[in-house]
Amino acid sequence: MRTGLLCVLLCWIAPALAANSSLSLADLAASPRWQALMHVNPGATLRDRGRSYIDDDNYFLAKNGKDDVLAELRATLAALEPAKAPERCRYPARYRFLAGHLDWQEDAPFAHCEEYSRWRSAVHASRAVLVFPAAYLNSPSSMFGHTLLRLDQGKDSAVWLSWAVNFGAVSTEADNSFFYIYRGLAGGYPGRFALVPYVQKIQEYSHMENRDMWEYTLDLDQQEIDWLIEHLWELKDINFDYYFFDENCSFRLLELVEVARPGSQLLTELRFAEVPVNTVRALDDRGLISERHYRPSKAVELDNLRRQMTAQQQRLARAL
């Protein structure tokens, strides 16, 4: 039944593809954005070269989708083309990709997707900011620092209203630091993206852990930010492999930026380690950083105020 439906859909799509001789299913599967949506490893790491980084069968519609992006494209065509198809609610970015290339014109393609529509109305942004909290030696996963993405509602909106996009290992509280490092090095943890209010991250990094934070506004337009947000929904509860040195929080954020702006060449160079400093440098080298902002920790702010006081005032403060 599924094979017959796929044949019918491909016959229906063939005229649209034939209208543009340079366009074919193979061309679409090889396009930078489809490769980015599939998270295909272009050779940046030695593991899974030429395959998808995603280590979760729930993400793929084809049985061999992790290894064959063309097969995954064919399965996606069959699943998303019918009006009110339930799979559309899972893959809004994939639908947008196919609709743009195959001229699917619908006024409300997600009208039947109540959960996604509620989520999308709550998660909206007009600016993306890469945030780099400084190193924190008390946490093995942050000994080189950390990176996350902040989604702002507007340029002048309060950051308290922003969302934070974070990637991390799914560990348990029972794991001690040495066990965490061992499993992190060996790929023993799954990694997942999480979307949380940014105010939680400010409280965690700046107030509780006294970590300075550097913020880098990314030069992404509204359409590119929409691509990123829609793809985040597709990655909800989807597992990746997590490796402490290379396939970590910084590396995964570069994958998201590639979805927003495919062809940025952020993942083409082979790397044996991906640290936050290199991530910032890679984005800057590609012209993707437009602004920079430094947010000192509360400890740094208090120390700066102390240095402005006279010796007598400092003695009085200590006495109080």
Side-chain angles (χ1 to χ4, degrees):
M1 180 68 179
R2 188 179 182 90
T3 303
L5 177 60
L6 178 59
C7 292
V8 171
L9 289 173
L10 291 179
C11 290
W12 176 81
I13 291 167
L17 296 177
N20 186 343
S21 59
S22 65
L23 185 64
S24 68
L25 289 180
D27 291 332
L28 287 179
S31 66
R33 176 152 277 143
W34 184 254
Q35 296 275 319
L37 289 172
M38 293 297 103
H39 292 259
V40 173
N41 176 6
T45 60
L46 296 176
R47 291 179 296 272
D48 291 330
R49 182 173 293 182
R51 307 173 69 210
S52 175
Y53 282 118
I54 296 177
D55 190 38
D56 196 323
D57 291 339
N58 291 326
Y59 185 74
F60 302 102
L61 292 169
K63 290 184 178 180
N64 58 335
K66 179 179 176 68
D67 301 289
D68 190 339
V69 292
L70 180 55
E72 185 66 16
L73 178 61
R74 291 194 177 105
T76 303
L77 283 172
L80 303 191
E81 192 278 331
K84 298 185 178 179
E87 286 81 1
R88 288 188 185 184
C89 305
R90 292 179 54 201
Y91 302 110
R94 292 197 199 187
Y95 176 85
R96 183 179 177 185
F97 173 83
L98 293 174
H101 284 285
L102 302 177
D103 197 27
W104 293 353
Q105 297 183 6
E106 297 182 52
D107 294 332
F110 304 109
H112 60 294
C113 305
E114 295 183 5
E115 184 180 359
Y116 169 69
S117 298
R118 287 195 301 269
W119 180 88
R120 192 64 179 87
S121 63
V123 181
H124 54 89
S126 61
R127 184 172 67 168
V129 180
L130 181 80
V131 180
F132 174 22
Y136 183 61
L137 297 181
N138 287 343
S139 173
S141 64
S142 297
M143 63 174 58
F144 299 112
H146 181 58
T147 48
L148 62 149
L149 201 62
R150 193 182 78 214
L151 300 176
D152 297 340
Q153 295 184 12
K155 184 175 181 179
D156 299 321
S157 64
V159 295
W160 313 101
L161 304 176
S162 301
W163 291 94
V165 181
N166 188 67
F167 181 85
V170 182
S171 59
T172 64
E173 295 181 357
D175 294 345
N176 59 44
S177 297
F178 292 103
F179 189 62
Y180 179 88
I181 292 175
Y182 169 74
R183 292 191 65 180
L185 291 173
Y189 290 113
R192 289 183 183 176
F193 283 98
L195 191 68
V196 298
Y198 183 66
V199 63
Q200 294 182 10
K201 293 301 178 181
I202 293 180
Q203 293 170 346
E204 176 183 350
Y205 294 137
S206 180
H207 296 179
M208 296 174 61
E209 298 179 354
N210 288 323
R211 297 166 68 175
D212 294 337
M213 299 167 68
W214 285 266
E215 301 172 353
Y216 302 91
T217 302
L218 301 183
D219 185 25
L220 299 176
D221 61 30
Q222 188 61 58
Q223 285 193 351
E224 291 169 329
I225 292 174
D226 288 342
W227 275 105
L228 189 151
I229 294 175
E230 290 165 7
H231 185 55
L232 279 173
W233 172 263
E234 298 178 338
L235 297 178
K236 182 181 179 182
D237 297 327
I238 296 298
N239 291 327
F240 291 73
D241 286 332
Y242 178 88
Y243 290 91
F244 182 71
F245 278 122
D246 51 6
E247 295 182 36
N248 51 27
C249 60
S250 294
F251 187 80
R252 296 294 179 225
L253 289 184
L254 292 180
E255 290 183 61
L256 278 185
V257 176
E258 279 284 350
V259 171
R261 185 175 294 178
S264 298
Q265 304 296 314
L266 293 169
L267 303 171
T268 54
E269 298 177 359
L270 177 66
R271 65 252 285 158
F272 294 97
E274 182 66 28
V275 295
V277 172
N278 290 341
T279 299
V280 174
R281 183 178 295 114
L283 292 168
D284 195 32
D285 289 344
R286 271 69 173 185
L288 281 161
I289 294 177
S290 60
E291 297 178 18
R292 296 162 176 80
H293 178 70
Y294 168 61
R295 185 184 295 275
S297 68
K298 287 299 179 183
V300 170
E301 290 180 348
L302 288 173
D303 187 61
N304 182 61
L305 291 173
R306 179 189 63 81
R307 292 174 183 274
Q308 298 177 44
M309 299 168 64
T310 64
Q312 181 180 0
Q313 290 172 331
Q314 291 186 36
R315 288 194 296 270
L316 176 59
R318 283 194 293 270
L320 292 175

